[in-house]
Amino acid sequence: MVQKASKETLPCIYVTEASAGSGKTYALAKRYIKLLINPSLAAQEIPLETILAITFTNKAALEMKERILDFLKKIALDKFKSLEEKNEVIEFLGVPEDAACKKAFRIMDTLLSNYQFFQVQTIDSFINAILSGCAFKLDLSAGFKTQTEYKEYLEYSLDKLIDKAGSDKDALELFRGFLKQYLYIENKEGWFPKKDIATIIAGLYSRSNKYHGKFIRSNIEIKDFIMRRNEVIELIVRLSQNVPEGADKRFAGYLSDFPNEDKEKFDITKLSNYFNRESFPLNKGYSLSEEIELLWNRIRTGLKQLCELEALFKFNYYIDIFNRVLDDLKIKSSKDDVLFLEELNKKARILFDEKSLELPELYLRLATRFRHFLLDEFQDTSLLQWENLKTMVDEALAGAGSLFYVGDKKQAIYRFRGGEVSLIDTVKEQFKGYLIISDVLQKNFRSAGNIVEFNNAVFSEENLSRFLSKEEIKKELSESCAEEIMRIFKGAKQEVVIHKSGGYIKSEFLNYKNEDERNGALKEKLLFQIQDLRERFPAKDIGILTRTNDDVQLVTSWLLEKNIPVESEKTLNIRENSYIKELVSFLKFLNSPIDDLSFASFIMGDIFCRASGISQDKIRDFIFELNHDAEDKSYLYRKFQKEFPEAWDNLFKDFFRKAGFVPLYEFVVTIYGKFSILGNFPSYQGFFMRFLELIKEQEEENPGVSDFLGFFDNARDEDLFVNVTSEESVRVMTIHKSKGLEFSAVVIPFLEMDIKLDSDIVDSDDGELKLLYVKQRFGDFSDGLREIIRKEYLKSFIDELNSVYVALTRSRDELYIYVSPRIGNKLNFASLIFEQNDFEIGEKLSSIKKGKLKDLSNFEIPVCAYKDWIHFLHDEFIDETVLVQREKILKGDVLHFVLSNIGNLHNQDEDLVINNAFKQARKRFPHFTDFSACEKTARSLLKDKAFSEYFYLKDAEVYQEKEIVSRQGQTKRIDRLIVKKDEVVIIDYKSAKVADDTYQKQVKEYVGIIKEIYPKSEVKGILIYLDDLTKIEVGV
Amino acid sequence: MDKIITYKLSDNFIEKLCGFAKENFIGKGRDISRVCFVFGGRRPGLFLKRQLGQVFNKGFISPAFFSIDEFVQYILEKKSACGKISDLEAAFMIYKLAQEIAPDILKERESFARFLPWAREVLSFIEQLDLENIPYQPLKNVEFKAAIGFDVPENINCLLESIIAIRQEFHARQIEKKLYSRGLSYLLASKYISEVDFAEFDRICFCGFFYLHKTEKAIVKALLDAGKATCFFQGDSSEWPVLENLYKEIALPVSLSSADQAQHTKSHAPKISIQTGFDVHSEVGLAREALKKINNLDDTVIVLPQPDNLIPLLSEVASYTDNFNVSMGYPLKRSALYSLFECVFNAQETKKDGQYYTKDYLKLLAHPLVKNLRLFGEASVTRVLVHKIEEVLIGAEKTSLGGSLFVKLSEIEKLRELYDLALVTMKSMEIEVTFDELKSTVEKLHGLLFGLWENLGNFYEFSLSLEEFMKCLVEKSHLAAYPLNLKMAEKIFEIKEELFNSGFNREPFSKEEIFKIFDNKIDAELISFSGSPLKGLQVLGLFETRVLSFENVIILDVNEAVLPSMKIYEPLIPREVMIGLGINRLEKEEEIQRYQFRRLISGAKTVHLIYQKRPDKEKSRFIEELIWQEQKNKNSLEVVSIPQASFKVEVLPKTLEIKKDSKIISHLKGLRYSASSLNTYLACPLKFYYHYCLGLEEKDELSDEPEAVDIGNFLHDLLEETFSQFLNKKPSFDKRFRDNFFNSLNEKFETDFTRKMKSDSFLIKAVLDYRMDKFIKNEEERDVEELICVEERFDAQINLSGRDYKFTAKVDRIDRLSEKSFLILDYKTGYTREVLPLDAEKIEKAGFTREKLKNTLKSFQLPLYLYLVSCDKRFQEAKLNAGLYSLKNLTLERLFRKEEQFSSREKIMEIYLKAMDAVLSEIINPEVCFKADETNPRYCRHCPFFYLCR
């Protein structure tokens, strides 16, 4: 029962469709607050911990939290932008204004002291929380690590399996079978089968984590396929020998060549298109014999079966290998106490299914119980993610809870990550027994009127049906597909809210013969365009959106050629920065001094040349000359040492000596300091600091120089980006990255729809995953496969159309589009989406929208002149002798301790005191073995007449380990302090006369302080050496 | 004397306390050394002493100072001598008890190494039960209904019951050994407190405590009741439930004068500024800049809630001042020693069938602490040996071990060539050493790095190895090159002692388990900086600031999950069950940290709060709270502006252009060009410069994965070797040839690949067998009349635009197909289409610039080969063609694809020569600089000169 309702009735499901720029976050925040302010609750009741809001990214989660807080504050302090806004909100909340205000105050207080229950987070962090709470059940340790990178683990486990083939018959058979398929069936051309296996199993791993279940091989074997293949070949050969009269000439020619072809390379996808025909291709006026007709039908049936067999069995060996690799990967990752980010959702599923985690226990472990769920970007939620939430949602709805989800089918562009757009409808179906309230957010708060209207027109029913009825598209998409697409865009029309008459759109058609020419023309146009926009907009408010990362690189390089600052994955990557390259070269050299190339790389760079004052030309000459000296075989750095001894001593020697001893971080900081890197190249501060940050981030995983360099070489680009907030550079990014963002002006240099079909399709069925290998050509022979291909094609088509939608809806004021008719050799469907591709709508903004260029809230940190600082901590260092003489020192410590337990022995049972002292010492030093030697020394000391005056005292106070404090507040500990009427004696025990002067100085210091404390007494200092039982009196 | 004294939150606690001491003791001539001060930690004592020093203005006998832990120990020792149980020992005790009492807990984690993290969880739970003195009875069955409305599932009750039984026995065993965990110490001390006297003290002052465990409360209350103690608190109990609760439980009147109370609300407000960074370095950069504005560093603290950020902070701070104290831990993991152990263990773990994985073997040898060991005379002897071993194993020096993926120690020890090579180098360095001495050095090295660790079965043996290893490092390595390494070595010795003397030292463990446990142990170890004597700027963790006050406070990482930092999920016993047991850590933790935060900023004049703003980091609730407070006070939402830090980022990369001087030009004019050098120039002029002008090459690396080039070389060599027998003959592929061919393939594969690869060589072998079989079949069908050349070099000079250039080419093979028809063949293991020139007309039409030729001509190989071969008089009259022969799919791509092209051969060759001329003219043109071609970023990414190119 779907109805439009405005009053809160629970349980209830709210479904909100939100087109681009329609205030989705606002709607979510409002809903969240409504749940808290809920008038049916008691004033004190604030059900914070019962609400779970799930967003797509961490950034979105933070934004939403901020929005909720702002909202609450506005209500509490009555600080709405307008009366209209206030009325709208108050009405929505359904409580009187003053009650809302009071409650908002209370909520703020509760929220701030129970912030951990302010649960707005990504699905991954929520699932991670579940797994952390249930680690014991999952056989993980309490402190398991979640990590992104799993490839190394897969490779390791694959290596292990391959290694096993040496001793394990099953494993060997597995690879033998695989090789047969690899070479004979797949006709793969690589030399390294392992690389191909690794690529495919990485894909399988990633897919297995998107779905719930295990990959199951089909029961078709190679031999079945080969047998059928040979039969088909034989039939075609037979046909070629019996070509009927009147046969199509070209086909007859093809058939006559067929018997000479390599049968092992038989490939359906390369078979003549004539085979697609229902009946044998005959010229008009001829008829076919029954025998040939039968043969033709048998060939067609054979081809159909062959396609279906290939589709089913192609991945068998990969699946077999994968399943075994996966078993090992599980063991290894559990041993290392690691969970991969990819598998979080799958693990949670296991927790529910196999480890039978029940909701009561889960909620007990989460220390909360959810009643209300708010889900953002529902179109990008995966089936598995939803399944994990569904159990909780079910339970909440059964107990008068609610589910609120927001999505936009038109913006579903994350299918490759498992996003399942159909969930928007499926969930409604799943909960059809409950009240479902659907809503569409129709206002556009982002773009100016012309842009909204333009998009309304592009995605209108009328235009889309025109677009989809184009012959080129109709060929690929059936009518029902077109209907499905129309359904997605049904609610695309938006209301204009801002600048009704504003907004400018320009589209240009780039009809060039080839890509080179097109790019040449586009480059010129684009650069001109950007120059024009930069005069009217702050550069950072100009976004250039492309489909692929390669295009990002290309466009970036065009802009850079013209000295236009750009922020993109290319310019912000520290690995691409020349100074960082120099630094890395330096580290590579220090890590392996025989690496001549890296040494050359560093000394030819700016960092070295600037610091040393040696010109780059001089260095190049030096290396150039060496190239002509075949005699000297020694390493480059040694030659350099001879040629430039001063530079070596000043700049290299110390690093060369210390490489590897000093932690990498401190080492690089010292390099920064020594070469005055930040001072010499201050404009690149961000790159140097990111490099340091990266070293810091990698300290756990890759602590040493070589580990770090290995990591750096292979690091993912996203780990290498510099943070920028510069106003002066244009942004270039992919459409996918632009989702959720907006710019004043957007330029789309390549408006494209490139529909690609994956050759592997997962068929998921109740815990079992099947993998189909599908080629477009298979659809020509098998109806079943054609249907599957059609579905996949439709999905891919929708992905592309959605990405066009996302791209066209990012701009606020101006939008520039360039469309080409083709993508490579293929038709660019995007070129059909507008009725005309050359047009201009509205007027450009005439006034400058630059605003203040310098953001006052931005604080640029001056560069740091790093120093080698470790010696500042010299008070913390220990002497090498402490380690060398460890045992002696320990013995001294034991003796000290024993003596500290011996007070004044006058009138005491000496034996008892000594025994007690040793008893204590044995407890304190349980692992010390040489007590007898200590006892001997102690007893000798006490017996020695020279010392008895310090141990047997008639009228004196004796203190052991007495702490005194100097007037500056520094504490000194005196081993033995004897206070007599007119005299104070300070005794300090030493193991041996190693540093007599220091000892005497120390005792003199004690004497000084004690004199201040006992100004009327005579103060004596005595050093007792325990090794030879001698003493020295120390005067002041 | 008041039993309880409370100061305001904004008071300087130490000053107040000193005032108390002055008024009640010093001023009255009472002996201050008979007063005992108990704080939460040790650091406040240092500050109080400094303060007292000022009061006395001379030396004095110190009062007694205890941290609460020390005080508890003091109580216990009054009763009888006892010690502390080490964490590993305690964990092992738990493990053993779990085996005996509750083997279910060990399911799926049977070994000690696997159970260790959970043993720690069990310990931590028991610790909490002990500290809070939770008796056994209520634990028996938690009949508890959580506020959220669920019964405790049976499995959790079972787990709880097992742990209770373990706890009981754990106590008994500790008491028997008189070695106590912290929890048990507190529990026992709270019981003994009424039995011991403290005649040595006139007064015991408990200072600045906030939350007290039940056992602590019992101790404090007993001493208060006995009239022996005074407690000093800070803050208004109406604001802090923890304090309110504490007062209630102690059940004593609190003295906070009404004047003080009135003042409390009016106390001065610090000047607070909030800033954000986007990462650690922008944060510490902000801290450095904040420091610059502060005059009085002696009264300044930087609070670092996240100890990980200490080193970046110090690096920044030290650029500004050298007068600072650090009182935090420095992780042992950061030391070179730690990475050395990683290498040692790794080498053992990847060892297979008595052989070491060469990469890990070399990594260990190349470790700076190892290669600089003074095993024989000077460290340079070891260094040279290590370099030579590396060169031998990566194959830079040709020996039988070159490229081995796994290696036996004895193979290296016995390798004569190694010592010969080393001796030559040492002679040049004037180091006198004999063959035998070198051999014995290698053996010693092996013994130390590998032998010591090979056959370990328990921790006793391990600790002996550790001792020997560390002794050698201390005596013979350059540990002291980094002063903190010595502290770390000291710590390792301590750990060694602990393991050597542990109760489980003879229990059998696998080598891997021992390494893991040891690793686990040093993983968590911190080397503590004592931060004394007190001087200058203080860098402290949040809890080190307890009781202290500073005029200027800079707090970093004020992010949620850091400040407050709370363990939200209890992985063993759910939090709700804990609450049912009376242990609510979470709420308390929150309040404790909020209290410390607020206390610290209340007492300051200026406060800088810095946090990281990133998608995965959120500002702390404490900041949100301050902002909200301010917004409420001013009834406005726009009250706080939070500047964001940034670094300068120049996004315009520079491009390198190398000008050609006369020396370079003359070098280029005299260079002997090959197809590869010309192709390199086509692809990237800068790469050409680096390689062909500067002579730079990539360093050889040991690789366990063969590259395409290895397959190429392998097949070229194989085909040269096996086909040379057909030279000047018509090849015949009879059974004998086939047998010989495949024998050669097998033998060559054995030497070239099997040794240098992991076990996956059989996969490549299958591919090679298959393709070579097809290749031979293909050769049979090709009907070649005669093999004219196999791997032959053709050199010639070509005059282009009036200038002679030297050229060279190495041709794989030339076949005579018929009377005068010859085909030059170049075997390819990669793709052939990508390097086959387009039709000559297309090349001409596109034009003769490098950029165009790169895409049209693609490769000079076939044109150059054809030209050079045609210059040879043997072929001057011949009908020559050249082709790329794919060994992958056996296609043969010919330069002249169609018969008719032969007739226009001269014209076509002219176009090729024109292209060559154009490229060479550009190469020797002084006006054209060497510049990188960056059109294909992926190509650049894999270029050996990637780091040099900028």
Side-chain angles (χ1 to χ4, degrees), chain B residues 360-379:
Chain B
D360 291 332
Y361 167 86
L362 281 179
K363 200 171 165 195
L364 175 51
L365 243 62
H367 193 283
L369 284 173
V370 171
K371 73 174 176 192
N372 293 306
L373 275 173
R374 295 177 296 267
L375 286 179
F376 178 84
E378 275 310 295

Side-chain angles (χ1 to χ4, degrees), chain A residues 350-384:
Chain A
I350 291 172
L351 204 53
F352 288 116
D353 283 0
E354 292 167 26
K355 307 273 174 176
S356 54
L357 175 73
E358 300 283 343
L359 267 191
E361 187 178 348
L362 173 69
Y363 279 151
L364 197 60
R365 292 208 168 270
L366 289 179
T368 184
R369 179 178 180 175
F370 300 119
R371 303 256 56 93
H372 305 283
F373 293 82
L374 287 83
L375 310 177
D376 191 10
E377 305 275 14
F378 202 57
Q379 76 282 353
D380 294 323
T381 303
S382 81
L383 217 55
L384 192 56

Side-chain angles (χ1 to χ4, degrees), chain A residues 115 136 163 188-189 191 194 581 601 635 665 686 693 699 707 713 857 859 866 927 965 1012, chain B residues 59-60 109 118 281 316 334 363 391 501 516 618 644 648 705 759 771 829 888 941 947 949-950:
Chain A
Y115 209 79
F136 194 75
D163 188 55
K188 288 270 193 176
E189 292 196 338
W191 294 100
K194 196 177 101 182
K581 285 183 176 185
S601 175
Y635 294 119
Y665 185 89
E693 184 86 10
E699 270 190 338
D707 298 320
D713 264 341
S857 65
F859 174 71
Y866 283 119
H927 311 311
V965 184
E1012 288 182 353
Chain B
F60 58 97
R109 36 187 100 86
W118 287 106
H281 287 90
E316 292 279 332
R334 303 189 80 250
K363 200 171 165 195
E391 286 172 3
N501 297 299
K516 190 162 181 194
E618 193 179 353
Q644 297 190 32
K648 262 202 192 83
E705 301 285 349
S759 334
R771 300 239 164 98
T829 46
K888 214 175 217 186
R941 187 67 199 92
Y947 286 108
C949 176
R950 48 231 174 188

Side-chain angles (χ1 to χ4, degrees), chain B residues 529-709:
Chain B
F529 287 147
S530 59
S532 78
L534 282 185
K535 56 165 188 175
L537 168 74
Q538 300 290 311
V539 179
L540 308 174
L542 181 69
F543 287 105
E544 273 92 33
T545 65
R546 275 181 300 193
V547 180
L548 306 179
S549 299
F550 299 89
E551 203 173 283
N552 310 296
V553 172
I554 300 172
I555 310 181
L556 293 173
D557 307 316
V558 194
N559 282 94
E560 200 50 28
V562 179
L563 198 62
S565 143
M566 291 184 299
K567 194 175 159 193
I568 294 178
Y569 303 107
E570 297 281 354
L572 194 69
I573 305 294
R575 203 171 75 80
E576 294 292 321
V577 178
M578 298 271 223
I579 294 172
L581 292 170
I583 308 169
N584 186 1
R585 290 291 302 157
L586 191 66
E587 234 172 70
K588 259 173 256 157
E589 272 304 329
E590 213 264 5
E591 196 180 332
I592 292 168
Q593 293 179 49
R594 186 186 294 266
Y595 172 82
Q596 297 303 346
F597 176 81
R598 290 282 295 279
R599 201 199 62 75
L600 190 64
I601 64 174
S602 307
K605 279 190 184 156
T606 64
V607 175
H608 295 264
L609 303 177
I610 303 172
Y611 69 92
Q612 283 188 50
K613 190 177 175 184
R614 280 169 31 169
D616 57 342
K617 296 207 167 180
E618 193 179 353
K619 64 167 121 29
S620 161
R621 63 185 79 181
F622 297 165
I623 288 191
E624 290 286 7
E625 205 175 5
L626 288 172
I627 295 174
W628 176 227
Q629 204 55 49
E630 195 63 8
Q631 286 168 327
K632 280 194 288 190
N633 290 345
K634 297 201 171 141
N635 190 29
S636 162
L637 293 180
E638 275 81 42
V639 290
V640 190
S641 96
I642 303 181
Q644 297 190 32
S646 69
F647 291 129
K648 262 202 192 83
V649 175
E650 171 78 60
V651 289
L652 283 177
K654 61 193 183 83
T655 42
L656 181 64
E657 289 187 352
I658 308 280
K659 291 199 177 110
K660 300 165 188 168
D661 60 15
S662 55
K663 266 192 277 181
I664 299 260
I665 296 286
S666 100
H667 165 76
L668 292 169
K669 286 179 180 166
L671 197 66
R672 184 172 288 282
Y673 288 92
S674 64
S676 343
S677 60
L678 290 175
N679 290 345
T680 304
Y681 188 82
L682 272 190
C684 177
L686 196 60
K687 184 176 179 182
F688 173 89
Y689 167 73
Y690 289 140
H691 190 64
Y692 293 98
C693 293
L694 298 188
L696 295 172
E697 275 175 46
E698 202 177 6
K699 183 195 155 202
D700 284 332
E701 296 277 357
L702 184 78
S703 164
D704 50 3
E705 301 285 349
E707 304 283 328
V709 60

Side-chain angles (χ1 to χ4, degrees), chain A residues 18 197 263 376 463 633 647 698 732 758 849 898 1013:
Chain A
I197 303 177
K263 303 294 176 295
D376 191 10
N463 187 52
K633 294 266 184 232
Q698 287 302 313
V732 183
D758 282 341
K849 215 184 170 184
V898 169
I1013 301 171

